[in-house]
Amino acid sequence: MRSVVRPVFPFSAIVGQDDMKLALICAALDPSIGGVLVLGDRGTGKSTAIRALAALLPPMRAIVDCRYACDPADEDSWCTECRERPANTAPKDRAIPVPVVDLPLGVTEDRVVGALDLERALSQGVKAFEPGLLARANRGFLYIDEVNLLEDHLVDLLIDVAASGENLVEREGLSVRHPARFVLIGSGNPEEGELRPQLLDRFGLSVDIKTPTVLADRIEVIKRRDEFERDKAAFIAKWKKADDQLRRRLVAGRKRLSGMVIPDEVLESTAKLCMQLGTDGLRAELTLMRAARALACFEQADSVAESHLRRVATAALRHRLRRDPLDESGSGARIDRAIEEALGS
Ligand SMILES: [Zn+2]
């Protein structure tokens, strides 16, 4: 696996788009939130933001020579090969960047799930498995631009794998099962195609991004983009301090996650809000709770407050609202109203 390191626009240098940045940070801090859907017009910097997030993440420890980058500290999640290592040889590990894997439209299923390694089959007569994109995305992010245009059979496949955290390949005489736990990041323009509800449900958070309408912001966007294009190294160096600081907050936030207190009143507000909106099942409540907790951790709070809940409510719930034919107001407005009705203004 070769990777070319390209200079990436710094996360801290992205102008505005606070909802998107917050959602990405929450999902990076606690992957159990379950992925982010970024909806908006073309050219609003969706892909830039996702690449920037990848560059921001602290490296992770991975077992050397493992094709799935297994976590040396989490034996339960190991692949078959790591499990079959002789018990007396402790696996060597090293720090690697968190993978952010692109899943391009029109990709073949073989490329996604992996396939028989034809070269080895032909030259050595060995039935070996050539891992696909799902293997590369293990423990990282799987990014699908224009996710709403993805073919149905790939959507079904992703829904299955994202739910189970495992990729099972049974074809061409192969039978392989390997870990495939990733955070799904999708972006798309809702005007170009609807997303199936089952796939929507796999995204913990969803954000709308728009071209900035404030003149000063637009000017700043152009200025920074131009500065970056003219001298990438200098621009990255200029923003390094801000990005480093953000990375430290992310690491510190993760450490707080397991001990973070969620008072009963906040849980009650979470449930009330979801009841008010009539969201189905428990997933809405769980996601809302996790996102509020991640935000509290990121902000170094001692416990989760209702204010955290309010700030992530739209992102956690917007894509879970059922259509109301009598209510033409946008989903954001419906959530604002529900917050006011359930929790007061
Ligand atoms: Zn492994």
Side-chain angles (χ1 to χ4, degrees), residues 63 66-70 77-83 85 179:
I63 293 179
C66 171
R67 301 192 287 179
Y68 314 104
C70 286
S77 68
W78 283 2
C79 69
T80 328
E81 287 147 52
C82 286
R83 278 173 207 278
R85 230 173 277 266

Side-chain angles (χ1 to χ4, degrees), residues 218-288:
R218 289 180 87 121
I219 295 169
E220 197 56 32
V221 170
I222 304 166
K223 259 170 123 177
R224 289 188 193 172
R225 177 47 70 174
D226 181 54
E227 203 183 328
F228 175 69
E229 296 299 341
R230 276 185 297 156
D231 188 346
K232 292 187 171 132
F235 189 77
I236 292 169
K238 181 174 159 185
W239 288 89
K240 186 176 180 301
K241 211 168 152 190
D243 261 14
D244 284 349
Q245 199 186 8
L246 207 51
R247 186 178 300 111
R248 279 196 297 274
R249 282 179 70 188
L250 202 57
V251 173
R254 277 186 188 160
K255 287 194 183 129
R256 292 176 95 87
L257 207 50
S258 61
M260 181 52 74
V261 178
I262 310 179
D264 283 350
E265 307 91 79
V266 175
L267 287 178
E268 199 184 306
S269 300
T270 307
K272 264 191 191 163
L273 184 55
C274 291
M275 276 168 74
Q276 181 78 30
L277 285 163
T279 50
D280 286 327
L282 277 175
R283 206 192 288 274
E285 266 110 319
L286 275 174
T287 308
L288 182 53

Side-chain angles (χ1 to χ4, degrees), residues 3 5 11 24 29-30 50 61 64 80 90 130 134 142 159 174 180 197 207 212 222 233 254 260 264 272 301 330 344:
S3 59
V5 181
F11 194 83
L24 290 173
L29 202 145
D30 180 5
I50 285 134
R61 306 297 304 177
V64 173
T80 328
E130 170 81 40
L134 293 177
L142 188 68
I159 291 170
L174 287 169
V207 287
I222 304 166
R254 277 186 188 160
M260 181 52 74
D264 283 350
K272 264 191 191 163

